[in-house]
Amino acid sequence: MKRICIYPGSFDPITYGHMDIIARARGLFDELVVAIAHNIRKNSLFTISERIEMISELTGKFGNVTVDAFDGLLVDYVRKRNACCVVRGLRAFSDFEYEFQMALTNRKLNDSFETIFLMTHENYSFISSSLVKELIEFGGDISAFVPEPVEHRLKEKLYVHREQ
Ligand code: PNS
């Protein structure tokens, strides 16, 4: 049976930190699904379709990576996709509490899959989508944090926002 792993997140936008997790996790499974969650509690900068486009463009070179979006609970999506695993990146100790709570809650809801954590490469351990958005807002250089197509899209968004 095909071993499918889900990499869920907001990816608003995708950073080099996410790319690093994708590149390493895809080697461990037959298929890695980057799954964008419709997050009702977060005010997103990019629409789901924009995020799908960006991630697809950046991961197109990887044969076993697909991109999708889901509504509702992650555990239901994992079941629907017949996945055996969920992967999340751990950047710093500060991520641990949130990740631990999510993984254990998910296991209580459905114990038929495992959550695994990959340590983000030390070069990217301090990068977050929120930080990138704040930097670009104030004119900071984000080229070390996000791939060029993402930087381009961020600048486009900012331009549109400023024009409004
Ligand atoms: O990139 P993020 O914002 O840290 O990702 C969080 C995400 C999307 C993985 C989490 O919020 C999630 O799984 N959302 C789907 C809804 C759900 O299942 N919530 C209960 C989690 S215990």
Side-chain angles (χ1 to χ4, degrees):
M1 213 174 83
K2 207 171 162 190
R3 295 178 62 79
I4 301 173
C5 178
I6 309 291
Y7 180 25
S10 304
F11 305 104
D12 187 43
I14 187 165
T15 65
Y16 278 132
H18 297 125
M19 290 296 294
D20 170 54
I21 297 296
I22 293 170
R24 287 189 291 125
R26 81 181 194 93
L28 304 173
F29 298 92
D30 298 317
E31 182 182 348
L32 180 73
V33 182
V34 180
I36 306 163
H38 283 267
N39 200 330
I40 39 171
R41 268 179 293 164
K42 275 190 182 173
N43 248 340
S44 308
L45 178 63
F46 290 100
T47 64
I48 295 282
S49 341
E50 287 171 329
R51 283 178 267 170
I52 290 182
E53 262 177 45
M54 279 188 277
I55 302 172
S56 303
E57 184 185 337
L58 293 165
T59 59
K61 58 181 183 263
F62 301 139
N64 65 337
V65 176
T66 55
V67 188
D68 196 8
F70 70 100
D71 261 322
L73 289 179
L74 175 62
V75 288
D76 294 334
Y77 181 72
V78 171
R79 196 178 284 125
K80 185 180 126 197
R81 295 299 307 252
N82 248 321
C84 61
C85 216
V86 161
V87 67
R88 293 277 292 169
L90 270 186
R91 289 167 300 186
F93 194 67
S94 50
D95 279 344
F96 181 77
E97 203 174 329
Y98 172 58
E99 295 297 336
F100 181 74
Q101 190 183 26
M102 271 206 303
L104 291 196
T105 307
N106 285 337
R107 194 160 70 194
K108 201 80 184 159
L109 296 173
N110 177 357
D111 65 359
S112 67
F113 69 91
E114 293 294 340
T115 300
I116 62 163
F117 297 95
L118 294 184
M119 297 297 166
T120 306
H121 191 282
E122 58 273 21
N123 289 353
Y124 311 122
S125 60
F126 54 91
I127 303 177
S128 74
S129 302
S130 327
L131 193 84
V132 166
K133 284 183 276 192
E134 191 171 317
L135 282 174
I136 191 102
E137 183 74 39
F138 297 110
D141 179 4
I142 55 164
S143 56
F145 309 137
V146 294
E148 200 282 322
V150 176
E151 183 175 353
H152 182 76
R153 296 267 193 148
L154 275 163
K155 285 182 175 158
E156 262 178 5
K157 276 268 173 207
L158 200 72
Y159 186 70
V160 171
H161 275 205
R162 294 228 163 115
E163 287 288 289
Q164 281 168 356

